[in-house]
Amino acid sequence: MIEVLARRAAGLLLIFLAAAVPVVSAARLSAWENALAARKSVAPLGIADVAVIGTALWAVVLVGLWWHWRRVTMWPIWSRWASVTGLFAAFLECAQLAGDRGEPVALGLWLGLAVLCWALGEAVRLVMTHPVTTRLIASKLEIPFPVRDLKARLCVREDRLVLDSLASRRKRSRDVVAVPWTALRSIELVEVEQEMTCQVIIYAGGDVGRPRTFDVRPGPALHVVGTVRELLIPVTAEVGATALAAVRARSEGIETGERPLWSYRPLRRHELRPANWEFRTDSRPYVLGVVGAFLLMPLVMLCGTVLSQFTGSARMQKQFQVVDGHADSIWVVTLGIGSVVFLYLLNRFVIQEFIGFMKHQDSIEAYPEAPPLPPKTGTVPGSGKKRKKR
């Protein structure tokens, strides 16, 4: 428990640094540019001014970290998203310094800042996933393992074994196949003597799944047998032994159950799909992000109004209609009511929809549906004769 808490605390601290360092750097660069321009009536960009711009994005990052509290392989990605606001503001200041003030060294400073933020994301990944200890295995955190001679990645999660990156390393959460512990029959470390080809079916929501094939060269490999899927994953001997221990520790005591792949009951009206409908493991409900951003606007405005009073920033107060340090009470009440109403709509039409999408996603990764039943023709299968009516 202490080790897991320490890993999470270190990861969160590194993510905070990835968000804070570029914001502070942008403020210092703005002060440098303001001094070179010899402005006296215009104040340089302050830390609070940059921070309020990133409020919405950082709120998304916090929600993402909460959602992926155990999916620690996503933490480096959220760390880089947390640094976007500061990096963007710093880039604008550096471009102005290089173009208008004759300081090309500013662009070099920005490149160094970008490399630092990337390095902090890599540090988050190392802190959260290395080394693989017995306490980490006993926890519920996701543990990634490299795969030999492939761009894919093997992950041992709390409730399943996952093979991802079958299409691209940039799309690790897409084209995923999984074997939950409730569907795991056996797993063992074997020695492949000759090159083989392994094929997995990615469910595409239509009549035919999309096959993905990869070569397995001679050497150690994990042979995974599930009730629906069978995988042969090439690994090194060390990685295979550690992954095997992690899988056995987390799947111990869980009974394997045979889950039916489809149901013969008639579909209800709301379950009927158009003929060209598809639900792929590489699809993403991006429209929910747009709707969610719109529904969060009253809350963002309310937070900006409060922050402008708290920080005393003249620029922020002008932007959020705060006069002489006092906000209009009617304006605040309107934003408060709008925030409550919009948050309800956010939960109803975005959050619940996204949760349902993710549950369906996890299901089709582990249990690809079988082809539909043949149409009823009134004949006995294989006989070519008409069924007699009684």
Side-chain angles (χ1 to χ4, degrees), residues 195-279:
E195 185 170 344
M196 303 176 63
T197 299
C198 184
Q199 182 183 83
V200 295
I201 302 298
I202 305 296
Y203 172 59
D207 296 341
V208 181
R210 293 176 296 136
R212 293 284 185 183
T213 60
F214 55 89
D215 295 329
V216 181
R217 297 184 179 181
L222 284 173
H223 184 211
V224 184
V225 179
T227 59
V228 179
R229 295 192 181 277
E230 182 176 3
L231 304 174
L232 188 63
I233 309 169
V235 293
T236 62
E238 182 180 0
V239 168
T242 307
L244 184 61
V247 171
R248 287 177 174 173
R250 295 189 175 187
S251 62
E252 184 179 6
I254 299 178
E255 296 183 0
T256 302
E258 297 289 342
R259 170 174 168 171
L261 299 184
W262 68 90
S263 174
Y264 289 99
R265 67 172 176 82
L267 294 178
R268 299 183 178 91
R269 180 180 297 274
H270 71 276
E271 296 175 319
L272 296 176
R273 307 170 181 173
N276 59 350
W277 184 89
E278 283 193 355
F279 189 99

Coordinates of all heavy atoms in Angstrom, one line a residue, residues 195-279:
E195 N 9.0 -20.2 -36.8 CA 8.2 -19.0 -37.0 C 6.8 -19.3 -37.3 O 6.5 -20.2 -38.1 CB 8.8 -18.1 -38.1 CG 8.1 -16.8 -38.3 CD 8.9 -15.8 -39.2 OE1 10.1 -16.1 -39.5 OE2 8.3 -14.8 -39.6
M196 N 5.9 -18.6 -36.6 CA 4.5 -18.8 -36.7 C 3.8 -17.5 -37.0 O 4.3 -16.4 -36.8 CB 3.9 -19.5 -35.5 CG 4.6 -20.8 -35.1 SD 4.0 -21.5 -33.6 CE 2.3 -21.8 -34.0
T197 N 2.5 -17.6 -37.4 CA 1.7 -16.4 -37.6 C 0.5 -16.6 -36.7 O -0.2 -17.6 -36.7 CB 1.2 -16.3 -39.0 OG1 2.4 -16.2 -39.9 CG2 0.3 -15.1 -39.2
C198 N 0.2 -15.5 -35.9 CA -0.9 -15.5 -35.0 C -1.9 -14.5 -35.5 O -1.6 -13.4 -36.0 CB -0.5 -15.1 -33.6 SG -1.8 -15.1 -32.4
Q199 N -3.2 -14.9 -35.5 CA -4.3 -14.0 -36.0 C -5.3 -13.8 -35.0 O -5.7 -14.7 -34.3 CB -4.9 -14.6 -37.3 CG -6.0 -13.7 -37.9 CD -6.7 -14.4 -39.1 OE1 -7.6 -15.2 -38.9 NE2 -6.2 -14.0 -40.3
V200 N -5.7 -12.5 -34.8 CA -6.8 -12.2 -33.9 C -7.8 -11.4 -34.7 O -7.5 -10.8 -35.7 CB -6.3 -11.3 -32.7 CG1 -5.3 -12.1 -31.9 CG2 -5.6 -10.0 -33.2
I201 N -9.1 -11.5 -34.2 CA -10.2 -10.9 -34.9 C -10.6 -9.7 -34.1 O -10.9 -9.8 -32.9 CB -11.4 -11.8 -35.1 CG1 -10.9 -13.1 -35.9 CG2 -12.5 -11.1 -35.8 CD1 -10.5 -12.8 -37.3
I202 N -10.6 -8.5 -34.8 CA -11.1 -7.3 -34.2 C -12.5 -7.1 -34.6 O -12.8 -7.0 -35.7 CB -10.2 -6.1 -34.6 CG1 -8.7 -6.3 -34.3 CG2 -10.7 -4.8 -33.9 CD1 -8.4 -6.4 -32.9
Y203 N -13.4 -7.1 -33.6 CA -14.8 -6.9 -33.9 C -15.1 -5.6 -34.5 O -14.7 -4.5 -33.9 CB -15.6 -7.2 -32.6 CG -17.1 -6.9 -32.7 CD1 -17.8 -7.5 -33.7 CD2 -17.7 -5.9 -32.0 CE1 -19.2 -7.3 -33.8 CE2 -19.0 -5.6 -32.1 CZ -19.8 -6.3 -33.0 OH -21.1 -6.0 -33.2
A204 N -15.8 -5.6 -35.6 CA -16.1 -4.3 -36.3 C -17.5 -3.9 -36.2 O -17.9 -2.9 -36.8 CB -15.6 -4.4 -37.8
G205 N -18.3 -4.7 -35.6 CA -19.7 -4.4 -35.4 C -20.6 -4.8 -36.6 O -21.8 -4.8 -36.6
G206 N -20.0 -5.2 -37.7 CA -20.7 -5.7 -38.9 C -20.8 -7.2 -38.9 O -20.7 -7.9 -37.9
D207 N -21.0 -7.7 -40.1 CA -21.1 -9.2 -40.2 C -19.8 -9.9 -40.1 O -19.7 -11.1 -39.7 CB -21.7 -9.6 -41.5 CG -23.2 -9.0 -41.6 OD1 -23.7 -8.7 -40.6 OD2 -23.7 -8.9 -42.7
V208 N -18.7 -9.2 -40.5 CA -17.4 -9.9 -40.5 C -16.4 -9.0 -39.7 O -16.3 -7.8 -39.8 CB -16.8 -10.0 -42.0 CG1 -15.5 -10.7 -42.0 CG2 -17.8 -10.8 -42.8
G209 N -15.6 -9.7 -38.8 CA -14.6 -9.0 -38.0 C -13.4 -8.7 -38.9 O -13.2 -9.3 -40.0
R210 N -12.5 -7.8 -38.4 CA -11.3 -7.5 -39.1 C -10.1 -8.3 -38.5 O -9.8 -8.1 -37.4 CB -11.1 -6.0 -39.0 CG -12.1 -5.1 -39.6 CD -11.9 -3.6 -39.4 NE -12.0 -3.3 -38.0 CZ -11.1 -2.6 -37.3 NH1 -10.1 -2.1 -37.9 NH2 -11.3 -2.3 -36.0
P211 N -9.5 -9.1 -39.3 CA -8.4 -9.9 -38.8 C -7.1 -9.1 -38.7 O -6.8 -8.2 -39.6 CB -8.2 -11.0 -39.9 CG -8.8 -10.4 -41.1 CD -9.9 -9.5 -40.7
R212 N -6.4 -9.3 -37.7 CA -5.0 -8.7 -37.5 C -4.1 -9.9 -37.3 O -4.3 -10.7 -36.5 CB -5.0 -7.8 -36.3 CG -5.8 -6.5 -36.4 CD -5.1 -5.5 -37.3 NE -5.9 -4.3 -37.3 CZ -5.6 -3.2 -38.0 NH1 -4.5 -3.3 -38.8 NH2 -6.3 -2.1 -38.0
T213 N -3.0 -9.9 -38.1 CA -2.0 -10.9 -38.0 C -0.7 -10.4 -37.6 O -0.3 -9.2 -37.9 CB -1.9 -11.7 -39.3 OG1 -1.5 -10.8 -40.3 CG2 -3.2 -12.3 -39.7
F214 N 0.1 -11.2 -36.9 CA 1.5 -10.8 -36.5 C 2.3 -12.0 -36.4 O 1.8 -13.1 -36.1 CB 1.5 -10.0 -35.2 CG 0.9 -10.7 -34.0 CD1 1.6 -11.5 -33.2 CD2 -0.4 -10.5 -33.7 CE1 1.1 -12.2 -32.1 CE2 -1.0 -11.1 -32.6 CZ -0.3 -11.9 -31.8
D215 N 3.6 -11.9 -36.8 CA 4.5 -13.0 -36.8 C 5.1 -13.2 -35.4 O 5.4 -12.3 -34.7 CB 5.6 -12.8 -37.8 CG 5.1 -12.7 -39.2 OD1 4.1 -13.3 -39.5 OD2 5.7 -11.9 -40.0
V216 N 5.2 -14.5 -35.1 CA 5.9 -14.9 -33.8 C 7.1 -15.7 -34.2 O 7.1 -16.8 -34.7 CB 4.9 -15.8 -33.0 CG1 5.6 -16.2 -31.7 CG2 3.6 -15.1 -32.7
R217 N 8.3 -15.1 -33.9 CA 9.5 -15.7 -34.2 C 9.9 -16.7 -33.1 O 9.4 -16.6 -32.0 CB 10.6 -14.6 -34.4 CG 10.3 -13.7 -35.6 CD 11.5 -12.7 -35.8 NE 11.2 -11.8 -36.9 CZ 12.0 -10.9 -37.3 NH1 13.2 -10.7 -36.7 NH2 11.7 -10.1 -38.4
P218 N 10.9 -17.6 -33.5 CA 11.3 -18.6 -32.5 C 11.8 -17.9 -31.2 O 12.5 -16.9 -31.2 CB 12.4 -19.3 -33.2 CG 12.1 -19.2 -34.6 CD 11.5 -17.8 -34.8
G219 N 11.4 -18.5 -30.1 CA 11.8 -17.9 -28.8 C 10.7 -18.1 -27.8 O 9.7 -18.7 -28.1
P220 N 10.9 -17.5 -26.6 CA 9.8 -17.6 -25.6 C 8.6 -16.9 -26.0 O 8.6 -15.9 -26.7 CB 10.5 -17.0 -24.3 CG 11.9 -16.9 -24.6 CD 12.1 -16.8 -26.1
A221 N 7.4 -17.4 -25.6 CA 6.1 -16.8 -25.9 C 5.1 -17.2 -24.8 O 5.2 -18.3 -24.2 CB 5.7 -17.2 -27.3
L222 N 4.2 -16.3 -24.6 CA 3.1 -16.6 -23.7 C 1.9 -17.2 -24.5 O 1.4 -16.5 -25.4 CB 2.6 -15.3 -22.9 CG 3.5 -14.9 -21.8 CD1 3.0 -13.5 -21.3 CD2 3.6 -15.9 -20.6
H223 N 1.5 -18.4 -24.1 CA 0.4 -19.0 -24.8 C -0.9 -18.8 -23.9 O -0.9 -19.4 -22.8 CB 0.6 -20.5 -25.0 CG -0.5 -21.2 -25.8 ND1 -0.8 -22.5 -25.6 CD2 -1.3 -20.7 -26.7 CE1 -1.8 -22.8 -26.4 NE2 -2.1 -21.7 -27.1
V224 N -1.8 -18.0 -24.3 CA -3.0 -17.6 -23.6 C -4.2 -18.3 -24.2 O -4.4 -18.1 -25.4 CB -3.2 -16.1 -23.5 CG1 -4.3 -15.8 -22.6 CG2 -1.9 -15.4 -23.0
V225 N -4.9 -19.0 -23.4 CA -6.1 -19.7 -23.9 C -7.3 -19.2 -23.1 O -7.3 -19.3 -21.9 CB -6.1 -21.2 -23.8 CG1 -7.3 -21.9 -24.3 CG2 -4.9 -21.7 -24.6
G226 N -8.3 -18.6 -23.8 CA -9.5 -18.1 -23.2 C -10.7 -18.8 -23.8 O -10.6 -19.6 -24.7
T227 N -11.9 -18.5 -23.2 CA -13.1 -19.1 -23.7 C -13.5 -18.6 -25.1 O -14.2 -19.3 -25.8 CB -14.3 -18.8 -22.8 OG1 -14.4 -17.4 -22.6 CG2 -14.0 -19.4 -21.4
V228 N -12.9 -17.4 -25.5 CA -13.3 -16.8 -26.8 C -12.0 -16.6 -27.6 O -12.0 -16.8 -28.8 CB -14.0 -15.5 -26.6 CG1 -14.3 -14.8 -27.9 CG2 -15.3 -15.7 -25.8
R229 N -10.9 -16.2 -27.0 CA -9.7 -15.9 -27.7 C -8.5 -16.8 -27.3 O -8.5 -17.3 -26.2 CB -9.3 -14.4 -27.4 CG -10.2 -13.4 -27.9 CD -9.6 -12.0 -27.9 NE -10.5 -10.9 -28.3 CZ -10.7 -10.6 -29.6 NH1 -10.1 -11.2 -30.5 NH2 -11.5 -9.6 -29.9
E230 N -7.6 -17.0 -28.3 CA -6.4 -17.7 -28.0 C -5.2 -16.9 -28.6 O -5.3 -16.5 -29.8 CB -6.4 -19.1 -28.6 CG -5.1 -19.9 -28.4 CD -5.1 -21.3 -28.9 OE1 -6.2 -21.6 -29.6 OE2 -4.2 -22.0 -28.7
L231 N -4.3 -16.5 -27.7 CA -3.2 -15.6 -28.1 C -1.8 -16.3 -27.9 O -1.6 -17.1 -27.0 CB -3.2 -14.3 -27.3 CG -4.5 -13.5 -27.3 CD1 -4.4 -12.4 -26.3 CD2 -4.8 -13.0 -28.7
L232 N -0.9 -16.0 -28.8 CA 0.5 -16.4 -28.7 C 1.3 -15.1 -28.8 O 1.4 -14.5 -29.9 CB 0.9 -17.4 -29.8 CG 2.2 -18.1 -29.7 CD1 2.3 -18.9 -28.4 CD2 2.6 -18.9 -30.9
I233 N 1.9 -14.7 -27.6 CA 2.5 -13.4 -27.5 C 4.0 -13.6 -27.3 O 4.4 -14.1 -26.3 CB 1.9 -12.6 -26.4 CG1 0.4 -12.6 -26.5 CG2 2.4 -11.2 -26.3 CD1 -0.3 -12.1 -25.2
P234 N 4.8 -13.2 -28.3 CA 6.3 -13.3 -28.1 C 6.8 -12.4 -27.1 O 6.6 -11.2 -27.1 CB 6.8 -13.0 -29.5 CG 5.8 -12.1 -30.1 CD 4.5 -12.6 -29.6
V235 N 7.6 -12.9 -26.2 CA 8.2 -12.1 -25.1 C 9.6 -12.6 -24.8 O 10.0 -13.7 -25.3 CB 7.4 -12.1 -23.8 CG1 6.0 -11.4 -24.0 CG2 7.2 -13.6 -23.3
T236 N 10.4 -11.9 -24.1 CA 11.6 -12.4 -23.6 C 11.4 -13.3 -22.4 O 10.3 -13.3 -21.8 CB 12.6 -11.3 -23.2 OG1 12.0 -10.6 -22.1 CG2 12.9 -10.4 -24.3
A237 N 12.3 -14.1 -22.0 CA 12.1 -15.1 -20.9 C 11.9 -14.3 -19.6 O 11.0 -14.7 -18.8 CB 13.4 -16.0 -20.8
E238 N 12.6 -13.2 -19.4 CA 12.4 -12.5 -18.1 C 11.1 -11.8 -18.1 O 10.3 -11.9 -17.0 CB 13.5 -11.4 -18.0 CG 13.5 -10.6 -16.7 CD 14.5 -9.5 -16.7 OE1 15.4 -9.5 -17.6 OE2 14.6 -8.8 -15.7
V239 N 10.7 -11.1 -19.2 CA 9.4 -10.5 -19.2 C 8.3 -11.5 -19.1 O 7.3 -11.3 -18.4 CB 9.2 -9.7 -20.5 CG1 7.8 -9.2 -20.7 CG2 10.1 -8.5 -20.5
G240 N 8.4 -12.7 -19.8 CA 7.4 -13.7 -19.7 C 7.2 -14.2 -18.3 O 6.0 -14.4 -17.9
A241 N 8.3 -14.4 -17.6 CA 8.1 -15.0 -16.2 C 7.4 -14.0 -15.3 O 6.6 -14.3 -14.5 CB 9.5 -15.3 -15.7
T242 N 7.8 -12.7 -15.5 CA 7.2 -11.6 -14.6 C 5.7 -11.5 -15.0 O 4.8 -11.4 -14.1 CB 7.9 -10.3 -14.8 OG1 9.3 -10.5 -14.6 CG2 7.4 -9.3 -13.8
A243 N 5.4 -11.4 -16.3 CA 4.0 -11.3 -16.7 C 3.2 -12.5 -16.3 O 2.0 -12.3 -15.8 CB 3.9 -11.1 -18.2
L244 N 3.7 -13.7 -16.4 CA 3.0 -14.9 -15.9 C 2.7 -14.8 -14.5 O 1.6 -15.2 -14.0 CB 3.9 -16.1 -16.3 CG 3.3 -17.5 -16.0 CD1 2.0 -17.7 -16.9 CD2 4.3 -18.6 -16.3
A245 N 3.7 -14.4 -13.7 CA 3.5 -14.3 -12.2 C 2.4 -13.3 -11.9 O 1.5 -13.5 -11.0 CB 4.8 -13.9 -11.5
A246 N 2.4 -12.1 -12.7 CA 1.3 -11.1 -12.4 C 0.0 -11.6 -12.8 O -1.0 -11.4 -12.1 CB 1.7 -9.8 -13.2
V247 N -0.2 -12.3 -13.9 CA -1.5 -12.8 -14.3 C -2.0 -13.9 -13.3 O -3.2 -13.8 -12.9 CB -1.4 -13.4 -15.7 CG1 -2.7 -14.2 -16.1 CG2 -1.1 -12.3 -16.8
R248 N -1.1 -14.8 -12.9 CA -1.6 -15.8 -12.0 C -2.0 -15.2 -10.6 O -2.9 -15.7 -10.0 CB -0.5 -16.8 -11.8 CG -0.3 -17.7 -13.1 CD 0.8 -18.7 -12.9 NE 0.8 -19.7 -14.1 CZ 1.8 -20.5 -14.3 NH1 2.8 -20.6 -13.5 NH2 1.7 -21.3 -15.4
A249 N -1.2 -14.2 -10.2 CA -1.6 -13.6 -8.9 C -2.9 -12.9 -9.0 O -3.7 -12.9 -8.0 CB -0.5 -12.6 -8.5
R250 N -3.2 -12.2 -10.1 CA -4.4 -11.4 -10.1 C -5.6 -12.2 -10.5 O -6.8 -11.8 -10.3 CB -4.2 -10.2 -11.1 CG -3.2 -9.2 -10.6 CD -3.1 -8.0 -11.5 NE -2.2 -7.0 -10.9 CZ -2.1 -5.8 -11.4 NH1 -2.8 -5.4 -12.4 NH2 -1.2 -4.9 -10.8
S251 N -5.4 -13.4 -11.2 CA -6.5 -14.2 -11.6 C -6.8 -15.3 -10.7 O -7.7 -16.1 -10.9 CB -6.3 -14.8 -13.0 OG -5.1 -15.6 -13.0
E252 N -6.0 -15.4 -9.6 CA -6.2 -16.5 -8.7 C -7.5 -16.5 -8.0 O -7.9 -15.4 -7.5 CB -5.0 -16.5 -7.7 CG -5.1 -17.7 -6.7 CD -3.9 -17.6 -5.7 OE1 -3.2 -16.6 -5.7 OE2 -3.8 -18.6 -4.9
G253 N -8.2 -17.6 -7.9 CA -9.5 -17.7 -7.2 C -10.7 -17.2 -8.0 O -11.8 -17.3 -7.5
I254 N -10.5 -16.8 -9.3 CA -11.6 -16.3 -10.1 C -12.0 -17.5 -11.0 O -11.2 -18.0 -11.8 CB -11.2 -15.1 -11.0 CG1 -10.8 -13.9 -10.0 CG2 -12.3 -14.7 -11.9 CD1 -10.4 -12.7 -10.7
E255 N -13.2 -17.8 -11.0 CA -13.7 -19.0 -11.8 C -14.0 -18.6 -13.2 O -14.4 -17.5 -13.5 CB -15.0 -19.5 -11.2 CG -14.9 -20.1 -9.8 CD -16.2 -20.6 -9.3 OE1 -17.2 -20.6 -10.0 OE2 -16.2 -21.2 -8.1
T256 N -13.6 -19.5 -14.1 CA -13.9 -19.3 -15.5 C -15.3 -19.6 -15.9 O -15.8 -20.6 -15.5 CB -12.9 -20.1 -16.4 OG1 -11.6 -19.8 -16.1 CG2 -13.2 -19.9 -17.9
G257 N -16.0 -18.6 -16.6 CA -17.4 -18.8 -16.9 C -17.5 -18.8 -18.4 O -16.9 -18.0 -19.1
E258 N -18.4 -19.6 -18.9 CA -18.7 -19.6 -20.4 C -19.8 -18.6 -20.6 O -20.9 -18.7 -20.1 CB -19.2 -21.0 -20.8 CG -18.2 -22.1 -20.7 CD -17.0 -22.0 -21.7 OE1 -17.2 -21.3 -22.7 OE2 -16.0 -22.6 -21.4
R259 N -19.4 -17.6 -21.4 CA -20.3 -16.5 -21.7 C -20.9 -16.7 -23.1 O -20.1 -16.8 -24.0 CB -19.7 -15.1 -21.5 CG -20.5 -14.0 -22.1 CD -19.8 -12.7 -21.8 NE -20.5 -11.6 -22.5 CZ -20.2 -10.3 -22.4 NH1 -19.3 -9.9 -21.5 NH2 -20.8 -9.4 -23.1
P260 N -22.2 -16.7 -23.2 CA -22.8 -16.8 -24.6 C -22.4 -15.6 -25.4 O -22.4 -14.5 -25.0 CB -24.3 -16.9 -24.4 CG -24.5 -16.2 -23.0 CD -23.2 -16.6 -22.2
L261 N -22.0 -15.8 -26.7 CA -21.6 -14.7 -27.6 C -22.7 -13.9 -28.1 O -22.6 -12.8 -28.5 CB -20.8 -15.3 -28.7 CG -19.5 -16.0 -28.3 CD1 -18.7 -16.5 -29.5 CD2 -18.7 -15.2 -27.4
W262 N -23.9 -14.5 -28.2 CA -25.0 -13.8 -28.7 C -26.3 -14.4 -28.2 O -26.3 -15.5 -27.6 CB -25.1 -13.8 -30.2 CG -25.4 -15.1 -30.9 CD1 -26.6 -15.6 -31.2 CD2 -24.4 -16.1 -31.3 NE1 -26.5 -16.8 -31.8 CE2 -25.1 -17.1 -31.8 CE3 -23.0 -16.2 -31.2 CZ2 -24.5 -18.3 -32.3 CZ3 -22.4 -17.3 -31.6 CH2 -23.1 -18.3 -32.2
S263 N -27.4 -13.7 -28.3 CA -28.6 -14.1 -27.7 C -29.6 -14.4 -28.9 O -29.6 -13.7 -29.9 CB -29.2 -13.0 -26.8 OG -30.5 -13.4 -26.4
Y264 N -30.5 -15.3 -28.7 CA -31.5 -15.7 -29.7 C -32.8 -14.9 -29.5 O -33.7 -15.1 -30.3 CB -31.8 -17.2 -29.7 CG -30.6 -18.0 -30.2 CD1 -29.7 -18.6 -29.3 CD2 -30.4 -18.1 -31.6 CE1 -28.7 -19.4 -29.8 CE2 -29.3 -18.9 -32.0 CZ -28.5 -19.5 -31.1 OH -27.4 -20.2 -31.6
R265 N -32.9 -14.1 -28.4 CA -34.1 -13.4 -28.2 C -34.3 -12.4 -29.2 O -33.4 -11.8 -29.7 CB -34.1 -12.8 -26.8 CG -33.1 -11.7 -26.6 CD -33.3 -11.0 -25.3 NE -32.3 -9.9 -25.1 CZ -32.4 -8.7 -25.6 NH1 -33.4 -8.4 -26.4 NH2 -31.4 -7.8 -25.4
P266 N -35.6 -12.0 -29.6 CA -35.9 -11.0 -30.6 C -35.4 -9.6 -30.0 O -35.5 -9.3 -28.8 CB -37.4 -11.0 -30.7 CG -37.8 -12.3 -30.1 CD -36.8 -12.7 -29.1
L267 N -34.8 -8.8 -30.9 CA -34.3 -7.5 -30.5 C -35.4 -6.5 -30.4 O -36.4 -6.6 -31.1 CB -33.3 -7.0 -31.6 CG -32.0 -7.8 -31.8 CD1 -31.2 -7.1 -32.9 CD2 -31.2 -7.8 -30.5
R268 N -35.3 -5.7 -29.4 CA -36.3 -4.6 -29.2 C -36.1 -3.5 -30.2 O -35.0 -3.4 -30.8 CB -36.2 -4.1 -27.7 CG -36.5 -5.2 -26.7 CD -36.5 -4.6 -25.3 NE -36.8 -5.6 -24.3 CZ -35.9 -6.3 -23.6 NH1 -34.6 -6.1 -23.9 NH2 -36.3 -7.2 -22.7
R269 N -37.0 -2.6 -30.3 CA -36.9 -1.6 -31.3 C -35.7 -0.7 -31.1 O -35.0 -0.4 -32.1 CB -38.2 -0.7 -31.2 CG -38.2 0.5 -32.3 CD -39.4 1.3 -32.1 NE -40.6 0.5 -32.4 CZ -41.1 0.3 -33.7 NH1 -40.5 0.8 -34.7 NH2 -42.2 -0.5 -33.9
H270 N -35.4 -0.3 -29.8 CA -34.2 0.5 -29.6 C -32.9 -0.2 -29.8 O -31.8 0.4 -29.8 CB -34.3 1.2 -28.2 CG -34.0 0.2 -27.1 ND1 -35.0 -0.7 -26.6 CD2 -32.9 -0.2 -26.4 CE1 -34.5 -1.4 -25.7 NE2 -33.2 -1.2 -25.5
E271 N -32.9 -1.5 -30.0 CA -31.7 -2.3 -30.2 C -31.4 -2.6 -31.6 O -30.3 -3.1 -32.0 CB -31.7 -3.6 -29.4 CG -31.8 -3.5 -27.9 CD -32.0 -4.8 -27.2 OE1 -32.8 -5.6 -27.7 OE2 -31.4 -5.0 -26.2
L272 N -32.4 -2.3 -32.5 CA -32.2 -2.5 -33.9 C -31.1 -1.6 -34.5 O -31.1 -0.4 -34.2 CB -33.5 -2.3 -34.7 CG -34.6 -3.4 -34.3 CD1 -35.9 -3.0 -35.0 CD2 -34.2 -4.8 -34.6
R273 N -30.3 -2.1 -35.4 CA -29.2 -1.3 -36.0 C -29.5 -1.1 -37.5 O -30.0 -2.0 -38.1 CB -27.9 -1.9 -35.8 CG -27.5 -2.3 -34.4 CD -26.3 -3.2 -34.3 NE -25.9 -3.6 -33.0 CZ -25.0 -4.5 -32.7 NH1 -24.3 -5.0 -33.7 NH2 -24.7 -4.8 -31.5
P274 N -29.1 0.0 -38.0 CA -29.1 0.2 -39.5 C -28.2 -0.8 -40.2 O -27.3 -1.4 -39.5 CB -28.6 1.6 -39.7 CG -28.8 2.3 -38.4 CD -28.6 1.3 -37.4
A275 N -28.4 -1.1 -41.4 CA -27.7 -2.1 -42.2 C -26.2 -1.7 -42.2 O -25.3 -2.6 -42.2 CB -28.2 -2.3 -43.6
N276 N -25.8 -0.4 -42.3 CA -24.5 0.0 -42.4 C -23.9 0.4 -41.1 O -22.8 1.1 -41.0 CB -24.3 1.1 -43.4 CG -25.1 2.3 -43.0 OD1 -26.0 2.2 -42.1 ND2 -24.9 3.4 -43.7
W277 N -24.5 0.0 -39.9 CA -24.0 0.5 -38.6 C -22.8 -0.3 -38.3 O -22.7 -1.5 -38.5 CB -25.1 0.3 -37.6 CG -24.8 0.8 -36.2 CD1 -25.0 2.0 -35.7 CD2 -24.1 0.0 -35.2 NE1 -24.5 2.1 -34.5 CE2 -24.0 0.9 -34.1 CE3 -23.7 -1.3 -35.1 CZ2 -23.4 0.5 -32.9 CZ3 -23.1 -1.7 -33.9 CH2 -23.0 -0.8 -32.8
E278 N -21.8 0.4 -37.7 CA -20.6 -0.3 -37.2 C -20.2 0.3 -35.8 O -20.4 1.5 -35.5 CB -19.4 0.0 -38.1 CG -19.5 -0.9 -39.4 CD -18.2 -0.9 -40.1 OE1 -17.3 -0.1 -39.7 OE2 -18.0 -1.6 -41.1
F279 N -19.7 -0.6 -35.0 CA -19.1 -0.1 -33.7 C -17.8 -0.8 -33.6 O -17.6 -2.0 -33.3 CB -20.0 -0.6 -32.5 CG -19.6 0.0 -31.2 CD1 -20.3 1.1 -30.7 CD2 -18.5 -0.5 -30.5 CE1 -19.9 1.6 -29.5 CE2 -18.1 0.0 -29.3 CZ -18.8 1.1 -28.8

